C-alpha cells in the first residue's frame, strides 16, 4: 500500500487524526515534524530561530524523501510542506495527499492554546492565519482529497478518511489495461 500524506494548515488536526487513522487500520504513523526534531535534537521553534525557515524547509524535504521510500505509512506533514512543488511531487508519486482544512476562526481557536508554532507567534495571529491560508490555498487545492474539519470530531474525520484509504488500495489493485 502507498503512503497517506496528511497535509493542511496548522491546527487542522493532522497529527491527532493521523494517529487515530493509523490505529484503526493497524498502520504505522509518522509525524514529519517529530522526525525533524529527533534528527536535529532540538525543537522546531529553535530551528526557525537559529537557522531560519529556509533551513527548516530543506530538512523537511530531506526527511520527506526518506519517508517516501517506505510503504503503508500514515504521514502527518507540517502545514507548510505544500509550498515546495517538489514535495507535492514526492507525495503524489509515493501515495495520496489528503488535505485537512478548517476556517480561520477554528484554526485560531485550536492553535491559540499552544505556543510551539513559530509562524503563529506574532502580534496578530488571526491576520497571519488569513494571510498564509490565502498564499497556500492553490497548493492545498492540489490534494487528492480535501476534508473540512471545522465542524467534525476526530472520529468523524477518521471515518471519512477511511474511504480515502480504500481508494489507495483500489488504485493499487486496479487491473492493468491489456495491450
Ligand atoms: C508550519 C507548520 C508546523 C511546522 C512548522 C511550520 C507551517 O507544523 O512544520 O512550524 O509552515 O505551516 P504543523 O502544521 O503540524 O503545526
Amino acid at each position: 500500500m502507498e503512503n497517506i500524506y496528511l497535509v493542511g494548515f496548522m491546527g487542522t488536526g493532522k497529527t491527532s487524526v493521523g494517529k487515530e487513522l493509523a490505529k484503526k487500520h493497524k498502520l504505522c504513523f509518522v509525524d514529519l515534524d517529530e522526525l525533524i526534531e529527533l534528527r536535529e535534537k532540538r525543537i522546531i521553534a529553535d530551528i526557525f530561530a537559529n537557522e531560519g525557515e529556509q533551513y527548516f524547509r530543506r530538512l523537511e524535504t530531506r526527511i520527506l524523501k526518506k519517508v517516501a521510500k517506505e510503504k503503508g505509512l500514515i504521514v502527518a506533514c507540517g502545514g507548510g510542506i505544500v509550498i515546495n512543488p517538489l514535495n507535492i511531487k514526492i507525495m503524489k508519486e509515493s501515495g495520496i495527499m489528503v488535505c485537512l482544512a478548517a476556517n480561520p476562526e477554528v484554526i485560531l481557536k485550536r492553535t491559540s492554546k499552544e505556543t510551539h508554532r513559530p509562524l503563529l507567534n506574532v502580534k496578530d495571529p488571526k491576520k497571519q492565519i488569513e494571510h498564509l491560508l490565502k498564499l497556500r490555498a492553490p497548493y492545498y487545492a492540489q490534494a487528492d482529497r480535501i476534508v473540512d474539519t471545522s465542524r467534525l470530531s476526530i472520529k468523524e474525520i477518521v471515518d471519512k478518511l477511511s474511504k480515502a484509504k480504500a481508494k489507495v488500495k483500489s488504485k493499487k489493485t486496479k487491473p492493468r489495461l491489456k495491450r
Side-chain angles (χ1 to χ4, degrees):
M1 194 195 105
E2 295 176 284
N3 294 331
I4 295 181
Y5 296 97
L6 298 176
V7 304
F9 205 78
M10 295 170 263
T12 50
K14 292 160 292 180
T15 303
S16 319
V17 167
K19 280 181 182 166
E20 284 307 308
L21 187 67
K23 204 156 111 187
K24 180 169 172 175
H25 297 283
K26 297 190 173 59
L27 293 168
C28 278
F29 169 80
V30 291
D31 185 308
L32 284 193
D33 282 348
E34 207 178 302
L35 294 182
I36 292 172
E37 289 181 338
L38 282 173
R39 188 201 137 108
E40 286 284 297
K41 298 187 183 68
R42 51 186 167 162
I43 58 170
I44 302 243
D46 285 347
I47 304 174
F48 267 71
N50 297 317
E51 322 294 340
E53 183 173 348
Q54 285 319 307
Y55 177 88
F56 171 79
R57 297 294 171 206
R58 282 197 296 275
L59 278 177
E60 197 172 41
T61 300
R62 203 174 302 155
I63 300 284
L64 175 64
K65 279 182 181 164
K66 282 199 177 153
V67 165
K69 289 191 183 130
E70 306 293 326
K71 287 207 177 332
L73 299 178
I74 306 286
V75 187
C77 303
I81 198 152
V82 292
I83 59 179
N84 181 347
L86 172 63
N87 293 343
I88 294 190
K89 186 170 178 276
I90 296 169
M91 289 190 271
K92 292 210 168 210
E93 281 175 1
S94 59
I96 66 160
M97 190 179 143
V98 176
C99 180
L100 301 187
N103 63 51
E105 291 73 27
V106 169
I107 291 173
L108 181 68
K109 205 167 150 201
R110 289 182 188 162
T111 55
S112 58
K113 294 167 216 138
E114 300 149 336
T115 54
H116 66 276
R117 296 182 174 96
L119 292 177
L120 298 183
N121 281 337
V122 292
K123 218 167 78 194
D124 189 346
K126 174 90 188 297
K127 208 168 153 193
Q128 171 81 326
I129 289 167
E130 284 166 350
H131 168 69
L132 287 176
L133 273 176
K134 214 176 193 172
L135 275 183
R136 293 176 179 181
Y139 303 106
Y140 290 137
Q142 292 177 50
D144 299 299
R145 184 157 184 185
I146 301 174
V147 178
D148 187 345
T149 69
S150 303
R151 288 185 188 81
L152 298 178
S153 67
I154 302 284
K155 188 185 174 301
E156 285 167 328
I157 305 165
V158 168
D159 288 346
K160 270 185 185 271
L161 294 188
S162 296
K163 289 180 196 147
K165 190 188 152 291
K167 196 177 140 196
V168 178
K169 266 195 179 160
S170 63
K171 201 166 134 187
K172 204 188 159 197
T173 52
K174 219 173 4 191
R176 292 224 176 124
L177 285 174
K178 280 185 188 152
R179 286 172 197 248

PDB file of all heavy atoms in Angstrom, residues 57-92:
ATOM      1  N   ARG A  57      12.973  24.202   5.819  1.00  0.00           N
ATOM      2  CA  ARG A  57      12.320  23.677   4.609  1.00  0.00           C
ATOM      3  C   ARG A  57      13.186  22.636   3.909  1.00  0.00           C
ATOM      4  O   ARG A  57      12.689  21.662   3.348  1.00  0.00           O
ATOM      5  CB  ARG A  57      11.971  24.814   3.645  1.00  0.00           C
ATOM      6  CG  ARG A  57      10.975  25.830   4.187  1.00  0.00           C
ATOM      7  CD  ARG A  57       9.607  25.221   4.410  1.00  0.00           C
ATOM      8  NE  ARG A  57       8.717  26.135   5.130  1.00  0.00           N
ATOM      9  CZ  ARG A  57       7.686  25.742   5.875  1.00  0.00           C
ATOM     10  NH1 ARG A  57       7.395  24.461   5.986  1.00  0.00           N
ATOM     11  NH2 ARG A  57       6.941  26.611   6.490  1.00  0.00           N
ATOM     12  N   ARG A  58      14.503  22.870   3.936  1.00  0.00           N
ATOM     13  CA  ARG A  58      15.411  21.890   3.306  1.00  0.00           C
ATOM     14  C   ARG A  58      15.373  20.563   4.071  1.00  0.00           C
ATOM     15  O   ARG A  58      15.335  19.490   3.481  1.00  0.00           O
ATOM     16  CB  ARG A  58      16.841  22.437   3.237  1.00  0.00           C
ATOM     17  CG  ARG A  58      17.048  23.437   2.103  1.00  0.00           C
ATOM     18  CD  ARG A  58      18.522  23.646   1.800  1.00  0.00           C
ATOM     19  NE  ARG A  58      19.242  24.247   2.914  1.00  0.00           N
ATOM     20  CZ  ARG A  58      19.305  25.563   3.148  1.00  0.00           C
ATOM     21  NH1 ARG A  58      18.716  26.414   2.332  1.00  0.00           N
ATOM     22  NH2 ARG A  58      19.987  26.022   4.181  1.00  0.00           N
ATOM     23  N   LEU A  59      15.346  20.679   5.387  1.00  0.00           N
ATOM     24  CA  LEU A  59      15.272  19.466   6.221  1.00  0.00           C
ATOM     25  C   LEU A  59      13.971  18.719   5.950  1.00  0.00           C
ATOM     26  O   LEU A  59      13.932  17.488   5.853  1.00  0.00           O
ATOM     27  CB  LEU A  59      15.249  19.846   7.708  1.00  0.00           C
ATOM     28  CG  LEU A  59      16.535  20.154   8.411  1.00  0.00           C
ATOM     29  CD1 LEU A  59      16.229  20.562   9.842  1.00  0.00           C
ATOM     30  CD2 LEU A  59      17.430  18.915   8.428  1.00  0.00           C
ATOM     31  N   GLU A  60      12.907  19.480   5.818  1.00  0.00           N
ATOM     32  CA  GLU A  60      11.571  18.920   5.603  1.00  0.00           C
ATOM     33  C   GLU A  60      11.556  18.056   4.329  1.00  0.00           C
ATOM     34  O   GLU A  60      11.077  16.933   4.337  1.00  0.00           O
ATOM     35  CB  GLU A  60      10.595  20.102   5.481  1.00  0.00           C
ATOM     36  CG  GLU A  60       9.139  19.755   5.653  1.00  0.00           C
ATOM     37  CD  GLU A  60       8.263  21.017   5.711  1.00  0.00           C
ATOM     38  OE1 GLU A  60       8.485  21.976   4.942  1.00  0.00           O
ATOM     39  OE2 GLU A  60       7.336  21.037   6.544  1.00  0.00           O
ATOM     40  N   THR A  61      12.162  18.589   3.272  1.00  0.00           N
ATOM     41  CA  THR A  61      12.197  17.839   2.008  1.00  0.00           C
ATOM     42  C   THR A  61      13.076  16.595   2.140  1.00  0.00           C
ATOM     43  O   THR A  61      12.734  15.514   1.648  1.00  0.00           O
ATOM     44  CB  THR A  61      12.718  18.742   0.857  1.00  0.00           C
ATOM     45  OG1 THR A  61      11.823  19.846   0.735  1.00  0.00           O
ATOM     46  CG2 THR A  61      12.770  17.996  -0.466  1.00  0.00           C
ATOM     47  N   ARG A  62      14.197  16.757   2.844  1.00  0.00           N
ATOM     48  CA  ARG A  62      15.115  15.625   3.020  1.00  0.00           C
ATOM     49  C   ARG A  62      14.419  14.472   3.766  1.00  0.00           C
ATOM     50  O   ARG A  62      14.510  13.311   3.375  1.00  0.00           O
ATOM     51  CB  ARG A  62      16.355  16.087   3.789  1.00  0.00           C
ATOM     52  CG  ARG A  62      17.549  15.197   3.542  1.00  0.00           C
ATOM     53  CD  ARG A  62      18.806  15.746   4.184  1.00  0.00           C
ATOM     54  NE  ARG A  62      19.152  17.090   3.736  1.00  0.00           N
ATOM     55  CZ  ARG A  62      19.887  17.946   4.457  1.00  0.00           C
ATOM     56  NH1 ARG A  62      20.329  17.621   5.650  1.00  0.00           N
ATOM     57  NH2 ARG A  62      20.188  19.134   3.975  1.00  0.00           N
ATOM     58  N   ILE A  63      13.708  14.810   4.823  1.00  0.00           N
ATOM     59  CA  ILE A  63      13.016  13.780   5.613  1.00  0.00           C
ATOM     60  C   ILE A  63      11.859  13.182   4.805  1.00  0.00           C
ATOM     61  O   ILE A  63      11.624  11.972   4.834  1.00  0.00           O
ATOM     62  CB  ILE A  63      12.484  14.381   6.943  1.00  0.00           C
ATOM     63  CG1 ILE A  63      13.623  14.953   7.792  1.00  0.00           C
ATOM     64  CG2 ILE A  63      11.687  13.356   7.738  1.00  0.00           C
ATOM     65  CD1 ILE A  63      14.489  13.957   8.521  1.00  0.00           C
ATOM     66  N   LEU A  64      11.164  14.041   4.067  1.00  0.00           N
ATOM     67  CA  LEU A  64      10.054  13.542   3.237  1.00  0.00           C
ATOM     68  C   LEU A  64      10.561  12.510   2.223  1.00  0.00           C
ATOM     69  O   LEU A  64       9.941  11.469   2.015  1.00  0.00           O
ATOM     70  CB  LEU A  64       9.360  14.712   2.523  1.00  0.00           C
ATOM     71  CG  LEU A  64       8.267  14.317   1.523  1.00  0.00           C
ATOM     72  CD1 LEU A  64       7.092  13.631   2.224  1.00  0.00           C
ATOM     73  CD2 LEU A  64       7.762  15.546   0.753  1.00  0.00           C
ATOM     74  N   LYS A  65      11.711  12.794   1.615  1.00  0.00           N
ATOM     75  CA  LYS A  65      12.281  11.859   0.624  1.00  0.00           C
ATOM     76  C   LYS A  65      12.531  10.495   1.253  1.00  0.00           C
ATOM     77  O   LYS A  65      12.298   9.459   0.644  1.00  0.00           O
ATOM     78  CB  LYS A  65      13.597  12.418   0.060  1.00  0.00           C
ATOM     79  CG  LYS A  65      13.393  13.449  -1.029  1.00  0.00           C
ATOM     80  CD  LYS A  65      14.740  13.908  -1.574  1.00  0.00           C
ATOM     81  CE  LYS A  65      14.540  14.973  -2.646  1.00  0.00           C
ATOM     82  NZ  LYS A  65      15.780  15.715  -2.933  1.00  0.00           N
ATOM     83  N   LYS A  66      13.009  10.490   2.493  1.00  0.00           N
ATOM     84  CA  LYS A  66      13.288   9.226   3.184  1.00  0.00           C
ATOM     85  C   LYS A  66      11.993   8.476   3.460  1.00  0.00           C
ATOM     86  O   LYS A  66      11.890   7.273   3.212  1.00  0.00           O
ATOM     87  CB  LYS A  66      14.003   9.504   4.514  1.00  0.00           C
ATOM     88  CG  LYS A  66      15.447   9.809   4.318  1.00  0.00           C
ATOM     89  CD  LYS A  66      16.234   9.633   5.600  1.00  0.00           C
ATOM     90  CE  LYS A  66      17.707   9.899   5.288  1.00  0.00           C
ATOM     91  NZ  LYS A  66      18.445  10.356   6.429  1.00  0.00           N
ATOM     92  N   VAL A  67      11.011   9.200   3.982  1.00  0.00           N
ATOM     93  CA  VAL A  67       9.718   8.589   4.332  1.00  0.00           C
ATOM     94  C   VAL A  67       9.036   8.030   3.077  1.00  0.00           C
ATOM     95  O   VAL A  67       8.394   6.982   3.114  1.00  0.00           O
ATOM     96  CB  VAL A  67       8.835   9.649   5.049  1.00  0.00           C
ATOM     97  CG1 VAL A  67       7.398   9.231   5.107  1.00  0.00           C
ATOM     98  CG2 VAL A  67       9.371   9.898   6.460  1.00  0.00           C
ATOM     99  N   ALA A  68       9.221   8.722   1.956  1.00  0.00           N
ATOM    100  CA  ALA A  68       8.559   8.318   0.709  1.00  0.00           C
ATOM    101  C   ALA A  68       9.076   6.982   0.183  1.00  0.00           C
ATOM    102  O   ALA A  68       8.446   6.349  -0.666  1.00  0.00           O
ATOM    103  CB  ALA A  68       8.740   9.410  -0.351  1.00  0.00           C
ATOM    104  N   LYS A  69      10.214   6.526   0.714  1.00  0.00           N
ATOM    105  CA  LYS A  69      10.759   5.223   0.286  1.00  0.00           C
ATOM    106  C   LYS A  69      10.039   4.087   0.989  1.00  0.00           C
ATOM    107  O   LYS A  69      10.147   2.926   0.599  1.00  0.00           O
ATOM    108  CB  LYS A  69      12.254   5.163   0.586  1.00  0.00           C
ATOM    109  CG  LYS A  69      13.050   6.063  -0.319  1.00  0.00           C
ATOM    110  CD  LYS A  69      14.535   5.783  -0.177  1.00  0.00           C
ATOM    111  CE  LYS A  69      15.340   6.758  -1.039  1.00  0.00           C
ATOM    112  NZ  LYS A  69      16.412   7.404  -0.312  1.00  0.00           N
ATOM    113  N   GLU A  70       9.333   4.419   2.066  1.00  0.00           N
ATOM    114  CA  GLU A  70       8.592   3.401   2.829  1.00  0.00           C
ATOM    115  C   GLU A  70       7.210   3.208   2.228  1.00  0.00           C
ATOM    116  O   GLU A  70       6.780   3.990   1.391  1.00  0.00           O
ATOM    117  CB  GLU A  70       8.445   3.853   4.291  1.00  0.00           C
ATOM    118  CG  GLU A  70       9.739   4.205   4.987  1.00  0.00           C
ATOM    119  CD  GLU A  70      10.648   3.010   5.184  1.00  0.00           C
ATOM    120  OE1 GLU A  70      10.141   1.900   5.395  1.00  0.00           O
ATOM    121  OE2 GLU A  70      11.884   3.189   5.114  1.00  0.00           O
ATOM    122  N   LYS A  71       6.531   2.152   2.716  1.00  0.00           N
ATOM    123  CA  LYS A  71       5.177   1.893   2.209  1.00  0.00           C
ATOM    124  C   LYS A  71       4.191   1.763   3.370  1.00  0.00           C
ATOM    125  O   LYS A  71       4.571   1.371   4.471  1.00  0.00           O
ATOM    126  CB  LYS A  71       5.160   0.604   1.401  1.00  0.00           C
ATOM    127  CG  LYS A  71       5.840   0.742   0.057  1.00  0.00           C
ATOM    128  CD  LYS A  71       5.251  -0.240  -0.930  1.00  0.00           C
ATOM    129  CE  LYS A  71       5.806  -0.137  -2.328  1.00  0.00           C
ATOM    130  NZ  LYS A  71       6.303   1.116  -2.779  1.00  0.00           N
ATOM    131  N   GLY A  72       2.942   2.061   3.113  1.00  0.00           N
ATOM    132  CA  GLY A  72       1.881   1.834   4.085  1.00  0.00           C
ATOM    133  C   GLY A  72       1.918   2.714   5.317  1.00  0.00           C
ATOM    134  O   GLY A  72       1.411   2.338   6.368  1.00  0.00           O
ATOM    135  N   LEU A  73       2.501   3.884   5.195  1.00  0.00           N
ATOM    136  CA  LEU A  73       2.572   4.783   6.356  1.00  0.00           C
ATOM    137  C   LEU A  73       1.466   5.837   6.301  1.00  0.00           C
ATOM    138  O   LEU A  73       1.048   6.255   5.228  1.00  0.00           O
ATOM    139  CB  LEU A  73       3.910   5.525   6.385  1.00  0.00           C
ATOM    140  CG  LEU A  73       5.196   4.736   6.493  1.00  0.00           C
ATOM    141  CD1 LEU A  73       6.385   5.691   6.449  1.00  0.00           C
ATOM    142  CD2 LEU A  73       5.216   3.937   7.788  1.00  0.00           C
ATOM    143  N   ILE A  74       1.045   6.248   7.497  1.00  0.00           N
ATOM    144  CA  ILE A  74       0.203   7.439   7.595  1.00  0.00           C
ATOM    145  C   ILE A  74       1.159   8.546   8.032  1.00  0.00           C
ATOM    146  O   ILE A  74       1.781   8.431   9.092  1.00  0.00           O
ATOM    147  CB  ILE A  74      -0.906   7.280   8.672  1.00  0.00           C
ATOM    148  CG1 ILE A  74      -1.751   6.023   8.442  1.00  0.00           C
ATOM    149  CG2 ILE A  74      -1.754   8.546   8.760  1.00  0.00           C
ATOM    150  CD1 ILE A  74      -2.717   6.085   7.305  1.00  0.00           C
ATOM    151  N   VAL A  75       1.297   9.564   7.201  1.00  0.00           N
ATOM    152  CA  VAL A  75       2.305  10.590   7.457  1.00  0.00           C
ATOM    153  C   VAL A  75       1.649  11.953   7.723  1.00  0.00           C
ATOM    154  O   VAL A  75       0.974  12.500   6.843  1.00  0.00           O
ATOM    155  CB  VAL A  75       3.249  10.740   6.233  1.00  0.00           C
ATOM    156  CG1 VAL A  75       4.403  11.685   6.564  1.00  0.00           C
ATOM    157  CG2 VAL A  75       3.763   9.388   5.750  1.00  0.00           C
ATOM    158  N   ALA A  76       1.851  12.484   8.932  1.00  0.00           N
ATOM    159  CA  ALA A  76       1.362  13.837   9.217  1.00  0.00           C
ATOM    160  C   ALA A  76       2.468  14.810   8.825  1.00  0.00           C
ATOM    161  O   ALA A  76       3.614  14.669   9.268  1.00  0.00           O
ATOM    162  CB  ALA A  76       1.033  13.985  10.697  1.00  0.00           C
ATOM    163  N   CYS A  77       2.149  15.754   7.956  1.00  0.00           N
ATOM    164  CA  CYS A  77       3.157  16.691   7.452  1.00  0.00           C
ATOM    165  C   CYS A  77       2.981  18.055   8.108  1.00  0.00           C
ATOM    166  O   CYS A  77       1.888  18.408   8.537  1.00  0.00           O
ATOM    167  CB  CYS A  77       3.006  16.859   5.946  1.00  0.00           C
ATOM    168  SG  CYS A  77       3.121  15.312   5.036  1.00  0.00           S
ATOM    169  N   GLY A  78       4.053  18.824   8.126  1.00  0.00           N
ATOM    170  CA  GLY A  78       3.951  20.201   8.618  1.00  0.00           C
ATOM    171  C   GLY A  78       3.082  21.010   7.649  1.00  0.00           C
ATOM    172  O   GLY A  78       3.036  20.711   6.449  1.00  0.00           O
ATOM    173  N   GLY A  79       2.433  22.029   8.178  1.00  0.00           N
ATOM    174  CA  GLY A  79       1.480  22.801   7.372  1.00  0.00           C
ATOM    175  C   GLY A  79       2.057  23.461   6.135  1.00  0.00           C
ATOM    176  O   GLY A  79       1.335  23.729   5.170  1.00  0.00           O
ATOM    177  N   GLY A  80       3.375  23.718   6.145  1.00  0.00           N
ATOM    178  CA  GLY A  80       3.953  24.442   5.018  1.00  0.00           C
ATOM    179  C   GLY A  80       4.599  23.545   3.977  1.00  0.00           C
ATOM    180  O   GLY A  80       5.217  24.034   3.022  1.00  0.00           O
ATOM    181  N   ILE A  81       4.466  22.255   4.118  1.00  0.00           N
ATOM    182  CA  ILE A  81       5.164  21.328   3.207  1.00  0.00           C
ATOM    183  C   ILE A  81       4.764  21.536   1.751  1.00  0.00           C
ATOM    184  O   ILE A  81       5.556  21.340   0.836  1.00  0.00           O
ATOM    185  CB  ILE A  81       4.941  19.850   3.642  1.00  0.00           C
ATOM    186  CG1 ILE A  81       5.999  18.963   3.002  1.00  0.00           C
ATOM    187  CG2 ILE A  81       3.536  19.365   3.295  1.00  0.00           C
ATOM    188  CD1 ILE A  81       6.316  17.724   3.788  1.00  0.00           C
ATOM    189  N   VAL A  82       3.533  21.971   1.560  1.00  0.00           N
ATOM    190  CA  VAL A  82       2.994  22.084   0.190  1.00  0.00           C
ATOM    191  C   VAL A  82       3.590  23.236  -0.611  1.00  0.00           C
ATOM    192  O   VAL A  82       3.408  23.282  -1.834  1.00  0.00           O
ATOM    193  CB  VAL A  82       1.458  22.268   0.232  1.00  0.00           C
ATOM    194  CG1 VAL A  82       0.761  21.023   0.733  1.00  0.00           C
ATOM    195  CG2 VAL A  82       1.073  23.483   1.075  1.00  0.00           C
ATOM    196  N   ILE A  83       4.279  24.185   0.052  1.00  0.00           N
ATOM    197  CA  ILE A  83       4.732  25.352  -0.705  1.00  0.00           C
ATOM    198  C   ILE A  83       5.906  25.031  -1.639  1.00  0.00           C
ATOM    199  O   ILE A  83       6.248  25.828  -2.483  1.00  0.00           O
ATOM    200  CB  ILE A  83       5.081  26.559   0.207  1.00  0.00           C
ATOM    201  CG1 ILE A  83       6.182  26.200   1.211  1.00  0.00           C
ATOM    202  CG2 ILE A  83       3.846  27.077   0.933  1.00  0.00           C
ATOM    203  CD1 ILE A  83       6.590  27.357   2.119  1.00  0.00           C
ATOM    204  N   ASN A  84       6.488  23.859  -1.475  1.00  0.00           N
ATOM    205  CA  ASN A  84       7.538  23.430  -2.403  1.00  0.00           C
ATOM    206  C   ASN A  84       6.938  22.389  -3.366  1.00  0.00           C
ATOM    207  O   ASN A  84       6.569  21.295  -2.941  1.00  0.00           O
ATOM    208  CB  ASN A  84       8.701  22.814  -1.604  1.00  0.00           C
ATOM    209  CG  ASN A  84       9.838  22.368  -2.497  1.00  0.00           C
ATOM    210  OD1 ASN A  84       9.684  22.287  -3.724  1.00  0.00           O
ATOM    211  ND2 ASN A  84      10.972  22.082  -1.896  1.00  0.00           N
ATOM    212  N   PRO A  85       6.859  22.718  -4.656  1.00  0.00           N
ATOM    213  CA  PRO A  85       6.250  21.798  -5.624  1.00  0.00           C
ATOM    214  C   PRO A  85       6.920  20.421  -5.636  1.00  0.00           C
ATOM    215  O   PRO A  85       6.267  19.413  -5.912  1.00  0.00           O
ATOM    216  CB  PRO A  85       6.433  22.495  -6.970  1.00  0.00           C
ATOM    217  CG  PRO A  85       6.694  23.924  -6.648  1.00  0.00           C
ATOM    218  CD  PRO A  85       7.304  23.979  -5.280  1.00  0.00           C
ATOM    219  N   LEU A  86       8.229  20.396  -5.314  1.00  0.00           N
ATOM    220  CA  LEU A  86       8.926  19.109  -5.275  1.00  0.00           C
ATOM    221  C   LEU A  86       8.294  18.202  -4.209  1.00  0.00           C
ATOM    222  O   LEU A  86       8.132  16.993  -4.419  1.00  0.00           O
ATOM    223  CB  LEU A  86      10.423  19.330  -4.981  1.00  0.00           C
ATOM    224  CG  LEU A  86      11.251  18.078  -4.728  1.00  0.00           C
ATOM    225  CD1 LEU A  86      11.274  17.163  -5.960  1.00  0.00           C
ATOM    226  CD2 LEU A  86      12.687  18.439  -4.325  1.00  0.00           C
ATOM    227  N   ASN A  87       7.929  18.773  -3.079  1.00  0.00           N
ATOM    228  CA  ASN A  87       7.303  17.984  -2.009  1.00  0.00           C
ATOM    229  C   ASN A  87       5.978  17.387  -2.483  1.00  0.00           C
ATOM    230  O   ASN A  87       5.671  16.224  -2.194  1.00  0.00           O
ATOM    231  CB  ASN A  87       7.061  18.844  -0.768  1.00  0.00           C
ATOM    232  CG  ASN A  87       8.354  19.293  -0.113  1.00  0.00           C
ATOM    233  OD1 ASN A  87       9.418  18.739  -0.376  1.00  0.00           O
ATOM    234  ND2 ASN A  87       8.269  20.301   0.733  1.00  0.00           N
ATOM    235  N   ILE A  88       5.212  18.175  -3.208  1.00  0.00           N
ATOM    236  CA  ILE A  88       3.917  17.679  -3.714  1.00  0.00           C
ATOM    237  C   ILE A  88       4.176  16.514  -4.673  1.00  0.00           C
ATOM    238  O   ILE A  88       3.508  15.481  -4.620  1.00  0.00           O
ATOM    239  CB  ILE A  88       3.119  18.815  -4.405  1.00  0.00           C
ATOM    240  CG1 ILE A  88       2.740  19.867  -3.362  1.00  0.00           C
ATOM    241  CG2 ILE A  88       1.886  18.256  -5.116  1.00  0.00           C
ATOM    242  CD1 ILE A  88       1.752  20.922  -3.812  1.00  0.00           C
ATOM    243  N   LYS A  89       5.190  16.672  -5.514  1.00  0.00           N
ATOM    244  CA  LYS A  89       5.537  15.615  -6.484  1.00  0.00           C
ATOM    245  C   LYS A  89       5.912  14.325  -5.739  1.00  0.00           C
ATOM    246  O   LYS A  89       5.427  13.243  -6.064  1.00  0.00           O
ATOM    247  CB  LYS A  89       6.701  16.108  -7.345  1.00  0.00           C
ATOM    248  CG  LYS A  89       7.084  15.188  -8.474  1.00  0.00           C
ATOM    249  CD  LYS A  89       8.082  15.897  -9.399  1.00  0.00           C
ATOM    250  CE  LYS A  89       8.524  15.001 -10.523  1.00  0.00           C
ATOM    251  NZ  LYS A  89       9.614  14.106 -10.154  1.00  0.00           N
ATOM    252  N   ILE A  90       6.755  14.473  -4.720  1.00  0.00           N
ATOM    253  CA  ILE A  90       7.204  13.301  -3.948  1.00  0.00           C
ATOM    254  C   ILE A  90       5.999  12.604  -3.310  1.00  0.00           C
ATOM    255  O   ILE A  90       5.862  11.375  -3.361  1.00  0.00           O
ATOM    256  CB  ILE A  90       8.220  13.713  -2.854  1.00  0.00           C
ATOM    257  CG1 ILE A  90       9.499  14.271  -3.481  1.00  0.00           C
ATOM    258  CG2 ILE A  90       8.549  12.535  -1.930  1.00  0.00           C
ATOM    259  CD1 ILE A  90      10.457  14.948  -2.494  1.00  0.00           C
ATOM    260  N   MET A  91       5.104  13.378  -2.725  1.00  0.00           N
ATOM    261  CA  MET A  91       3.940  12.785  -2.043  1.00  0.00           C
ATOM    262  C   MET A  91       3.041  12.068  -3.041  1.00  0.00           C
ATOM    263  O   MET A  91       2.611  10.943  -2.806  1.00  0.00           O
ATOM    264  CB  MET A  91       3.152  13.879  -1.293  1.00  0.00           C
ATOM    265  CG  MET A  91       3.879  14.404  -0.078  1.00  0.00           C
ATOM    266  SD  MET A  91       2.843  15.463   0.956  1.00  0.00           S
ATOM    267  CE  MET A  91       3.140  17.060   0.208  1.00  0.00           C
ATOM    268  N   LYS A  92       2.792  12.718  -4.173  1.00  0.00           N
ATOM    269  CA  LYS A  92       1.877  12.114  -5.147  1.00  0.00           C
ATOM    270  C   LYS A  92       2.458  10.854  -5.785  1.00  0.00           C
ATOM    271  O   LYS A  92       1.730   9.947  -6.150  1.00  0.00           O
ATOM    272  CB  LYS A  92       1.497  13.137  -6.212  1.00  0.00           C
ATOM    273  CG  LYS A  92       0.631  14.242  -5.634  1.00  0.00           C
ATOM    274  CD  LYS A  92      -0.296  14.804  -6.657  1.00  0.00           C
ATOM    275  CE  LYS A  92      -1.317  15.678  -5.974  1.00  0.00           C
ATOM    276  NZ  LYS A  92      -2.586  15.722  -6.652  1.00  0.00           N
TER     277      LYS A  92
END
